Amino acid sequence: DPVALFDGKDTSKWYTYFKDHGKDKDPNGTVSVKDGVLRISGQHFGGLITRDEYADYEVEVVWAWGGKVWPPREKNARDCGLIVHSTGEDGTVAKCWLNGIQCNMIEGATGDISITGPDKAYKFKAQAEERPAGKKTGLYWKDGAPTRDFPPAGRLFWPGRDPNWENVLGFRGKNDVEKGVGEWNTLVVTMKADTMLVRLNGTT
């Protein structure tokens, strides 16, 4: 049966972990619940981690970007992430996160897949083609393309990512399926056996 990780009332199925504060310490109310909505202000680096462990699961996140951004990233694209198959000790990565596979949630690049941290035990394979990405090239997911290895620091781009993407606040690409500030998006990530499927607003 489906598990409601958030019931509109509280975050009892999660715990917080923030840099410089640790587990279940949130002195500035970075995470709060109001009118049935879970709000994450972004004031501190860190996040929410499920208290239970899961395998062969599908996570659905209905989310919208807020307006407020915080230093030192006040000029950068709004940025979040869904880290799946998280393992290890809290704060292992940048004193904020666990090791895992990240479905990035960042303006213009939501759906990119990367590894958190430098641990070489974490890696994945994906069908991808090489295309321009700014002044360099990047690997974009494409069904039927050659299978490539993605080690830590590697990043698989979602197929419609704008080749001129920049890490600037409010970035919008011509093919973006992610909606703008204040509009609701639906992100579904399915982890089954050794596969990962990402769908953003119905687009794979």
Side-chain angles (χ1 to χ4, degrees):
D1 293 332
V3 175
L5 292 174
F6 176 63
D7 61 4
K9 299 176 181 178
D10 59 45
T11 57
S12 58
K13 288 187 169 62
W14 307 78
Y15 64 88
T16 60
Y17 191 92
F18 292 112
K19 186 177 182 178
D20 300 327
H21 297 296
K23 184 176 180 178
D24 276 335
K25 295 178 182 177
D26 185 10
N28 294 308
T30 300
V31 175
S32 61
V33 178
K34 184 178 180 180
D35 298 329
V37 176
L38 173 64
R39 179 178 182 271
I40 302 175
S41 73
Q43 184 174 358
H44 296 293
F45 286 101
L48 288 163
I49 301 98
T50 57
R51 294 186 183 276
D52 293 332
E53 296 184 6
Y54 301 93
D56 288 339
Y57 52 86
E58 183 170 88
V59 185
E60 179 176 298
V61 183
V62 179
W63 59 280
W65 294 119
K68 172 71 176 178
V69 289
W70 297 85
R73 294 184 53 86
E74 68 269 29
K75 295 182 180 179
N76 296 120
R78 292 174 176 84
D79 191 3
C80 191
L82 176 64
I83 303 174
V84 293
H85 281 15
S86 301
T87 59
E89 298 294 324
D90 290 315
T92 296
V93 179
K95 299 182 180 179
C96 299
W97 305 288
L98 288 81
N99 287 304
I101 303 171
Q102 179 175 207
C103 176
N104 292 266
M105 299 164 68
I106 181 171
E107 289 182 302
T110 295
D112 287 3
I113 300 173
S114 60
I115 301 293
T116 59
D119 192 329
K120 294 181 180 179
Y122 295 82
K123 56 193 174 186
F124 64 91
K125 295 177 181 287
Q127 298 174 83
E129 65 174 356
E130 191 170 15
R131 287 195 265 133
K135 296 180 180 179
K136 300 180 180 180
T137 60
L139 293 173
Y140 297 75
W141 180 82
K142 183 179 181 181
D143 191 22
T147 299
R148 301 172 185 264
D149 293 311
F150 290 82
R155 190 177 183 116
L156 175 66
F157 295 159
W158 77 279
R161 175 170 153 147
D162 195 308
N164 296 311
W165 181 86
E166 293 184 72
N167 189 9
V168 295
L169 188 66
F171 184 91
R172 297 290 296 169
K174 61 182 180 180
N175 296 317
D176 280 358
V177 294
E178 171 198 310
K179 299 175 184 177
V181 175
E183 297 184 75
W184 293 100
N185 296 272
T186 300
L187 177 68
V188 180
V189 177
T190 305
M191 307 295 290
K192 186 174 182 180
D194 62 351
T195 63
M196 179 177 185
L197 175 68
V198 176
R199 285 171 288 164
L200 175 61
N201 295 327
T203 296
T204 300

